[in-house]
Amino acid sequence: MKYFLVLFSLFCFNTTFAQELNCKVTVNASQIQSVGTTVDKSLFPDMERAIFNFMNNQRWTNDVFSEKEKIKCSLNITLAKSPAQNVFNAKTQFQVIRPIYGTTLETVTLQYFDQVFDFSYAPEDRQMIFNEQNFTNNLTSMLAFYSLMAIAIDYDSFSKFGGTPFIERAFNVSNLAGNSAGGPWIMDTDTRNRYWLIENIRSQPFVAFREGFYNYHRIALDDFATNPANSRKVILDFLNTIKNVAGLKQNSIIINTFFDAKSAEIINIFSEGTKQEKQQVFELVSFLDPDKTENYRKILK
């Protein structure tokens, strides 16, 4: 529906082209520690503005977005250390948000915690130049990767496998960065790094996950207000699909990020379900996302 509306606005109104993302950026430097160097704290507001401009001004598609149709997301960067001048070790939380049609509500489609977000930034870097076919630096590659993943996840939620072209482009960014920078861009024992994020979503076992992800959003959530019983059935089917996928790909980052984004939502949705639905869902989610088992017990009340 989103893209039919976009096309309608293209032909019927004088809609100007606009970038795809509406991204809130926060750089938190309150806990940063320097190692053998003095940190210039006046650099941080400039860094935040430069990252904000990249995330909100870079253009990734030829689709038309009005201001209210932009993909909402947030990037929270927590600086931990500065091991050398203008070099930073950080962690990030990246979140992508989608409206639920027919309501005033929103849903989180991606919640990703990046534990190794290391980069360099100097005042002369405020004009970030990015070439999708070449590796320039770690910061622009990470921001481009996040941007393409945001679009891929959003498009997948509106159109079955609609995000595929952007997944492939994110993979290309990851591959180029891996060849040049290594670290979280390459295969590692840390199964939550960027390599595994893109590997998971591109792999054959996750075809069923991506189809179910579309059903969860477009069929279940968007229709929940008018047909909650059917929506719960669709979501229950998807949770069973995730269980099957998890058996093929254990400890998958895509499954972990899904439950990081959706645990509270699933609790709310099934708190009004039948006794049988509640029991089925509790058994599934406590198995798939055991760290949140105590929270999931709310479903049974």
Side-chain angles (χ1 to χ4, degrees):
M1 178 180 288
K2 180 177 181 178
Y3 303 109
F4 291 123
L5 291 174
V6 170
L7 290 171
F8 181 77
S9 66
L10 173 63
F11 288 106
C12 297
F13 302 98
N14 185 23
T15 303
T16 59
F17 282 84
Q19 286 72 29
E20 299 86 359
L21 302 184
N22 175 12
C23 187
K24 179 181 178 182
V25 175
T26 304
V27 174
N28 183 349
S30 62
Q31 300 177 10
I32 193 169
Q33 300 176 357
S34 61
V35 181
T37 184
T38 301
V39 178
D40 180 7
K41 295 187 178 181
S42 66
L43 184 66
F44 301 138
D46 186 67
M47 178 193 297
E48 186 175 88
R49 281 191 297 270
I51 294 172
F52 175 89
N53 288 335
F54 185 97
M55 295 298 291
N56 289 285
N57 295 332
Q58 194 83 13
R59 185 159 179 79
W60 304 101
T61 79
N62 292 322
D63 295 331
V64 179
F65 283 72
S66 68
E67 195 64 32
K68 67 179 181 180
E69 289 171 331
K70 287 186 177 184
I71 300 165
K72 289 181 65 174
C73 54
S74 63
L75 176 60
N76 296 313
I77 302 170
T78 302
L79 301 177
K81 292 182 180 180
S82 178
Q85 188 174 12
N86 299 327
V87 176
F88 302 95
N89 303 145
K91 298 180 180 180
T92 68
Q93 178 183 354
F94 184 58
Q95 186 180 82
V96 183
I97 299 168
R98 169 202 195 278
I100 300 175
Y101 279 94
T103 76
T104 58
L105 303 176
E106 296 177 324
T107 182
V108 177
T109 53
L110 178 68
Q111 180 100 289
Y112 179 57
F113 298 94
D114 196 336
Q115 300 299 315
V116 184
F117 190 89
D118 297 343
F119 63 98
S120 61
Y121 181 85
E124 58 268 24
D125 298 325
R126 63 173 61 91
Q127 297 295 331
M128 296 186 190
I129 299 173
F130 177 72
N131 184 334
E132 204 167 322
Q133 302 308 317
N134 295 286
F135 176 82
T136 303
N137 59 62
N138 218 26
L139 181 57
T140 55
S141 289
M142 289 187 292
L143 298 179
F145 180 81
Y146 287 170
S147 298
L148 289 165
M149 286 299 296
I151 296 169
I153 292 293
D154 185 76
Y155 279 36
D156 260 10
S157 79
F158 284 103
S159 174
K160 196 176 295 184
F161 308 121
T164 298
F166 305 99
I167 290 172
E168 293 306 312
R169 288 168 64 184
F171 172 72
N172 181 61
V173 170
S174 175
N175 193 43
L176 289 171
N179 291 335
S180 298
W185 295 110
I186 62 176
M187 185 186 298
D188 199 303
T189 54
D190 178 10
T191 56
R192 293 184 67 92
N193 70 11
R194 291 185 293 277
Y195 170 87
W196 289 110
L197 182 65
I198 194 66
E199 188 278 341
N200 278 188
I201 202 167
R202 290 181 76 244
S203 66
Q204 185 61 31
F206 281 90
V207 170
F209 175 91
R210 288 178 61 200
E211 183 173 5
F213 185 84
Y214 163 78
N215 292 337
Y216 180 101
H217 292 92
R218 190 67 195 92
I219 297 176
L221 286 191
D222 284 346
D223 197 40
F224 188 83
T226 57
N227 197 345
N230 183 66
S231 295
R232 281 191 286 267
K233 179 183 181 302
V234 170
I235 294 171
L236 186 55
D237 289 343
F238 180 40
L239 293 174
N240 277 300
T241 296
I242 295 176
K243 184 178 180 181
N244 293 334
V245 172
L248 299 172
K249 282 272 192 178
Q250 296 183 357
N251 198 28
S252 299
I253 178 60
I254 286 296
I255 292 176
N256 292 337
T257 59
F258 175 80
F259 285 110
D260 285 343
K262 299 297 187 181
S263 58
E265 186 170 86
I266 290 170
I267 292 169
N268 289 335
I269 287 171
F270 284 94
S271 63
E272 300 298 325
T274 66
K275 185 176 181 180
Q276 183 181 12
E277 285 174 335
K278 290 182 177 184
Q279 187 62 44
Q280 286 180 297
V281 168
F282 173 74
E283 290 175 2
L284 281 167
V285 293
S286 59
F287 171 76
L288 293 167
D289 190 25
D291 291 347
K292 302 185 188 73
T293 296
E294 289 309 307
N295 285 339
Y296 289 129
R297 289 192 191 281
K298 298 173 185 176
I299 296 171
L300 301 175
K301 295 180 180 178

